[in-house]
PDB file of all heavy atoms in Angstrom:
ATOM      1  N   ALA A 263       4.220 -75.015  16.357  1.00  0.00           N
ATOM      2  CA  ALA A 263       4.134 -75.040  17.735  1.00  0.00           C
ATOM      3  C   ALA A 263       4.447 -76.390  18.250  1.00  0.00           C
ATOM      4  O   ALA A 263       4.895 -76.646  19.435  1.00  0.00           O
ATOM      5  CB  ALA A 263       2.722 -74.481  18.277  1.00  0.00           C
ATOM      6  N   ASP A 264       4.201 -77.483  17.391  1.00  0.00           N
ATOM      7  CA  ASP A 264       4.414 -78.844  17.878  1.00  0.00           C
ATOM      8  C   ASP A 264       5.927 -79.075  18.234  1.00  0.00           C
ATOM      9  O   ASP A 264       6.187 -79.930  19.033  1.00  0.00           O
ATOM     10  CB  ASP A 264       3.992 -79.781  16.821  1.00  0.00           C
ATOM     11  CG  ASP A 264       2.493 -79.663  16.459  1.00  0.00           C
ATOM     12  OD1 ASP A 264       1.802 -79.091  17.255  1.00  0.00           O
ATOM     13  OD2 ASP A 264       2.175 -80.044  15.363  1.00  0.00           O
ATOM     14  N   VAL A 265       6.813 -78.290  17.398  1.00  0.00           N
ATOM     15  CA  VAL A 265       8.223 -78.570  17.656  1.00  0.00           C
ATOM     16  C   VAL A 265       8.576 -78.108  19.142  1.00  0.00           C
ATOM     17  O   VAL A 265       9.344 -78.735  19.784  1.00  0.00           O
ATOM     18  CB  VAL A 265       9.063 -77.755  16.713  1.00  0.00           C
ATOM     19  CG1 VAL A 265      10.562 -77.949  16.910  1.00  0.00           C
ATOM     20  CG2 VAL A 265       8.648 -78.236  15.235  1.00  0.00           C
ATOM     21  N   TYR A 266       8.114 -76.921  19.579  1.00  0.00           N
ATOM     22  CA  TYR A 266       8.337 -76.486  20.962  1.00  0.00           C
ATOM     23  C   TYR A 266       7.753 -77.365  21.968  1.00  0.00           C
ATOM     24  O   TYR A 266       8.407 -77.670  23.032  1.00  0.00           O
ATOM     25  CB  TYR A 266       7.834 -75.116  21.142  1.00  0.00           C
ATOM     26  CG  TYR A 266       8.544 -74.011  20.303  1.00  0.00           C
ATOM     27  CD1 TYR A 266       7.931 -73.464  19.098  1.00  0.00           C
ATOM     28  CD2 TYR A 266       9.842 -73.604  20.675  1.00  0.00           C
ATOM     29  CE1 TYR A 266       8.676 -72.492  18.367  1.00  0.00           C
ATOM     30  CE2 TYR A 266      10.481 -72.593  19.955  1.00  0.00           C
ATOM     31  CZ  TYR A 266       9.877 -72.219  18.740  1.00  0.00           C
ATOM     32  OH  TYR A 266      10.581 -71.090  18.076  1.00  0.00           O
ATOM     33  N   GLU A 267       6.474 -77.960  21.651  1.00  0.00           N
ATOM     34  CA  GLU A 267       5.828 -78.852  22.562  1.00  0.00           C
ATOM     35  C   GLU A 267       6.720 -80.101  22.772  1.00  0.00           C
ATOM     36  O   GLU A 267       6.891 -80.580  23.960  1.00  0.00           O
ATOM     37  CB  GLU A 267       4.387 -79.168  22.158  1.00  0.00           C
ATOM     38  CG  GLU A 267       3.538 -77.904  22.178  1.00  0.00           C
ATOM     39  CD  GLU A 267       2.140 -78.370  21.633  1.00  0.00           C
ATOM     40  OE1 GLU A 267       1.951 -79.491  21.317  1.00  0.00           O
ATOM     41  OE2 GLU A 267       1.348 -77.380  21.491  1.00  0.00           O
ATOM     42  N   ALA A 268       7.107 -80.722  21.631  1.00  0.00           N
ATOM     43  CA  ALA A 268       8.036 -81.884  21.748  1.00  0.00           C
ATOM     44  C   ALA A 268       9.322 -81.567  22.411  1.00  0.00           C
ATOM     45  O   ALA A 268       9.787 -82.493  23.281  1.00  0.00           O
ATOM     46  CB  ALA A 268       8.356 -82.367  20.332  1.00  0.00           C
ATOM     47  N   ALA A 269       9.919 -80.420  22.230  1.00  0.00           N
ATOM     48  CA  ALA A 269      11.112 -79.977  22.989  1.00  0.00           C
ATOM     49  C   ALA A 269      10.868 -79.819  24.466  1.00  0.00           C
ATOM     50  O   ALA A 269      11.826 -80.322  25.258  1.00  0.00           O
ATOM     51  CB  ALA A 269      11.809 -78.885  22.362  1.00  0.00           C
ATOM     52  N   SER A 270       9.832 -79.292  24.843  1.00  0.00           N
ATOM     53  CA  SER A 270       9.598 -79.129  26.315  1.00  0.00           C
ATOM     54  C   SER A 270       9.239 -80.351  27.054  1.00  0.00           C
ATOM     55  O   SER A 270       9.568 -80.661  28.093  1.00  0.00           O
ATOM     56  CB  SER A 270       8.356 -78.149  26.444  1.00  0.00           C
ATOM     57  OG  SER A 270       7.231 -78.692  25.745  1.00  0.00           O
ATOM     58  N   ILE A 271       8.672 -81.406  26.104  1.00  0.00           N
ATOM     59  CA  ILE A 271       8.401 -82.779  26.734  1.00  0.00           C
ATOM     60  C   ILE A 271       9.734 -83.438  27.084  1.00  0.00           C
ATOM     61  O   ILE A 271       9.997 -84.198  27.974  1.00  0.00           O
ATOM     62  CB  ILE A 271       7.508 -83.489  26.016  1.00  0.00           C
ATOM     63  CG1 ILE A 271       6.026 -82.896  25.835  1.00  0.00           C
ATOM     64  CG2 ILE A 271       7.352 -84.952  26.333  1.00  0.00           C
ATOM     65  CD1 ILE A 271       5.170 -83.492  24.934  1.00  0.00           C
ATOM     66  N   ASP A 272      10.706 -83.160  25.985  1.00  0.00           N
ATOM     67  CA  ASP A 272      11.956 -83.801  26.169  1.00  0.00           C
ATOM     68  C   ASP A 272      12.840 -83.207  27.318  1.00  0.00           C
ATOM     69  O   ASP A 272      14.018 -83.657  27.467  1.00  0.00           O
ATOM     70  CB  ASP A 272      12.702 -83.927  24.856  1.00  0.00           C
ATOM     71  CG  ASP A 272      12.034 -84.758  23.835  1.00  0.00           C
ATOM     72  OD1 ASP A 272      11.267 -85.658  24.230  1.00  0.00           O
ATOM     73  OD2 ASP A 272      12.191 -84.561  22.570  1.00  0.00           O
ATOM     74  N   GLY A 273      12.300 -82.107  27.827  1.00  0.00           N
ATOM     75  CA  GLY A 273      13.142 -81.477  28.953  1.00  0.00           C
ATOM     76  C   GLY A 273      14.047 -80.423  28.517  1.00  0.00           C
ATOM     77  O   GLY A 273      14.909 -80.026  29.231  1.00  0.00           O
ATOM     78  N   ALA A 274      13.821 -79.828  27.346  1.00  0.00           N
ATOM     79  CA  ALA A 274      14.632 -78.762  26.669  1.00  0.00           C
ATOM     80  C   ALA A 274      14.242 -77.470  27.498  1.00  0.00           C
ATOM     81  O   ALA A 274      13.128 -77.105  27.673  1.00  0.00           O
ATOM     82  CB  ALA A 274      14.542 -78.517  25.223  1.00  0.00           C
ATOM     83  N   SER A 275      15.181 -76.632  27.906  1.00  0.00           N
ATOM     84  CA  SER A 275      15.003 -75.376  28.533  1.00  0.00           C
ATOM     85  C   SER A 275      14.612 -74.266  27.539  1.00  0.00           C
ATOM     86  O   SER A 275      14.782 -74.475  26.265  1.00  0.00           O
ATOM     87  CB  SER A 275      16.287 -74.958  29.373  1.00  0.00           C
ATOM     88  OG  SER A 275      17.332 -74.666  28.376  1.00  0.00           O
ATOM     89  N   LEU A 276      14.218 -73.134  27.929  1.00  0.00           N
ATOM     90  CA  LEU A 276      13.748 -72.035  26.950  1.00  0.00           C
ATOM     91  C   LEU A 276      15.070 -71.674  26.212  1.00  0.00           C
ATOM     92  O   LEU A 276      14.885 -71.318  25.053  1.00  0.00           O
ATOM     93  CB  LEU A 276      13.105 -70.856  27.804  1.00  0.00           C
ATOM     94  CG  LEU A 276      11.950 -71.217  28.478  1.00  0.00           C
ATOM     95  CD1 LEU A 276      11.491 -69.824  29.264  1.00  0.00           C
ATOM     96  CD2 LEU A 276      10.855 -71.564  27.482  1.00  0.00           C
ATOM     97  N   TRP A 277      16.212 -71.503  26.877  1.00  0.00           N
ATOM     98  CA  TRP A 277      17.442 -71.200  26.099  1.00  0.00           C
ATOM     99  C   TRP A 277      17.789 -72.151  25.063  1.00  0.00           C
ATOM    100  O   TRP A 277      18.142 -71.899  23.846  1.00  0.00           O
ATOM    101  CB  TRP A 277      18.492 -70.840  27.058  1.00  0.00           C
ATOM    102  CG  TRP A 277      19.857 -70.834  26.392  1.00  0.00           C
ATOM    103  CD1 TRP A 277      20.915 -71.668  26.373  1.00  0.00           C
ATOM    104  CD2 TRP A 277      20.267 -69.677  25.433  1.00  0.00           C
ATOM    105  NE1 TRP A 277      21.927 -71.189  25.612  1.00  0.00           N
ATOM    106  CE2 TRP A 277      21.610 -70.031  24.969  1.00  0.00           C
ATOM    107  CE3 TRP A 277      19.709 -68.511  25.072  1.00  0.00           C
ATOM    108  CZ2 TRP A 277      22.197 -69.164  24.143  1.00  0.00           C
ATOM    109  CZ3 TRP A 277      20.310 -67.755  24.204  1.00  0.00           C
ATOM    110  CH2 TRP A 277      21.616 -68.120  23.757  1.00  0.00           C
ATOM    111  N   GLN A 278      17.708 -73.494  25.345  1.00  0.00           N
ATOM    112  CA  GLN A 278      17.900 -74.576  24.345  1.00  0.00           C
ATOM    113  C   GLN A 278      16.931 -74.668  23.279  1.00  0.00           C
ATOM    114  O   GLN A 278      17.216 -74.786  22.101  1.00  0.00           O
ATOM    115  CB  GLN A 278      17.861 -75.938  25.171  1.00  0.00           C
ATOM    116  CG  GLN A 278      19.109 -76.178  26.118  1.00  0.00           C
ATOM    117  CD  GLN A 278      19.021 -77.396  26.775  1.00  0.00           C
ATOM    118  OE1 GLN A 278      17.799 -77.967  27.054  1.00  0.00           O
ATOM    119  NE2 GLN A 278      20.168 -77.994  27.255  1.00  0.00           N
ATOM    120  N   GLN A 279      15.603 -74.294  23.500  1.00  0.00           N
ATOM    121  CA  GLN A 279      14.684 -74.105  22.499  1.00  0.00           C
ATOM    122  C   GLN A 279      14.928 -72.973  21.573  1.00  0.00           C
ATOM    123  O   GLN A 279      14.830 -73.040  20.286  1.00  0.00           O
ATOM    124  CB  GLN A 279      13.155 -73.928  23.102  1.00  0.00           C
ATOM    125  CG  GLN A 279      12.796 -75.164  23.912  1.00  0.00           C
ATOM    126  CD  GLN A 279      11.408 -75.053  24.390  1.00  0.00           C
ATOM    127  OE1 GLN A 279      10.583 -74.215  23.974  1.00  0.00           O
ATOM    128  NE2 GLN A 279      11.119 -75.714  25.570  1.00  0.00           N
ATOM    129  N   PHE A 280      15.369 -71.854  22.172  1.00  0.00           N
ATOM    130  CA  PHE A 280      15.696 -70.716  21.403  1.00  0.00           C
ATOM    131  C   PHE A 280      16.930 -70.930  20.414  1.00  0.00           C
ATOM    132  O   PHE A 280      16.995 -70.654  19.402  1.00  0.00           O
ATOM    133  CB  PHE A 280      16.012 -69.485  22.218  1.00  0.00           C
ATOM    134  CG  PHE A 280      16.459 -68.272  21.446  1.00  0.00           C
ATOM    135  CD1 PHE A 280      15.634 -67.553  20.792  1.00  0.00           C
ATOM    136  CD2 PHE A 280      17.820 -67.868  21.598  1.00  0.00           C
ATOM    137  CE1 PHE A 280      15.928 -66.352  20.177  1.00  0.00           C
ATOM    138  CE2 PHE A 280      18.250 -66.778  20.939  1.00  0.00           C
ATOM    139  CZ  PHE A 280      17.293 -66.047  20.146  1.00  0.00           C
ATOM    140  N   ARG A 281      18.034 -71.561  21.028  1.00  0.00           N
ATOM    141  CA  ARG A 281      19.208 -71.832  20.284  1.00  0.00           C
ATOM    142  C   ARG A 281      19.186 -72.942  19.287  1.00  0.00           C
ATOM    143  O   ARG A 281      19.631 -72.793  18.228  1.00  0.00           O
ATOM    144  CB  ARG A 281      20.290 -72.070  21.257  1.00  0.00           C
ATOM    145  CG  ARG A 281      21.761 -72.215  20.643  1.00  0.00           C
ATOM    146  CD  ARG A 281      22.678 -72.574  21.789  1.00  0.00           C
ATOM    147  NE  ARG A 281      22.384 -73.981  22.194  1.00  0.00           N
ATOM    148  CZ  ARG A 281      23.060 -74.548  23.267  1.00  0.00           C
ATOM    149  NH1 ARG A 281      24.183 -73.894  23.756  1.00  0.00           N
ATOM    150  NH2 ARG A 281      22.730 -75.718  23.671  1.00  0.00           N
ATOM    151  N   ASN A 282      18.318 -73.995  19.624  1.00  0.00           N
ATOM    152  CA  ASN A 282      18.347 -75.153  18.699  1.00  0.00           C
ATOM    153  C   ASN A 282      17.072 -75.211  17.816  1.00  0.00           C
ATOM    154  O   ASN A 282      17.015 -75.989  16.853  1.00  0.00           O
ATOM    155  CB  ASN A 282      18.368 -76.412  19.545  1.00  0.00           C
ATOM    156  CG  ASN A 282      19.642 -76.605  20.293  1.00  0.00           C
ATOM    157  OD1 ASN A 282      20.744 -76.151  19.890  1.00  0.00           O
ATOM    158  ND2 ASN A 282      19.546 -77.006  21.569  1.00  0.00           N
ATOM    159  N   ILE A 283      16.090 -74.392  18.112  1.00  0.00           N
ATOM    160  CA  ILE A 283      14.804 -74.384  17.294  1.00  0.00           C
ATOM    161  C   ILE A 283      14.563 -73.030  16.562  1.00  0.00           C
ATOM    162  O   ILE A 283      14.467 -72.948  15.440  1.00  0.00           O
ATOM    163  CB  ILE A 283      13.566 -74.891  18.153  1.00  0.00           C
ATOM    164  CG1 ILE A 283      13.767 -76.188  18.661  1.00  0.00           C
ATOM    165  CG2 ILE A 283      12.339 -74.712  17.238  1.00  0.00           C
ATOM    166  CD1 ILE A 283      12.702 -76.715  19.639  1.00  0.00           C
TER     167      ILE A 283
END
Side-chain angles (χ1 to χ4, degrees):
D264 301 340
V265 181
Y266 292 105
E267 294 178 2
S270 61
I271 293 174
D272 291 339
S275 63
L276 293 178
W277 169 249
Q278 290 175 335
Q279 294 180 26
F280 174 77
R281 186 183 61 183
N282 299 319
I283 298 176

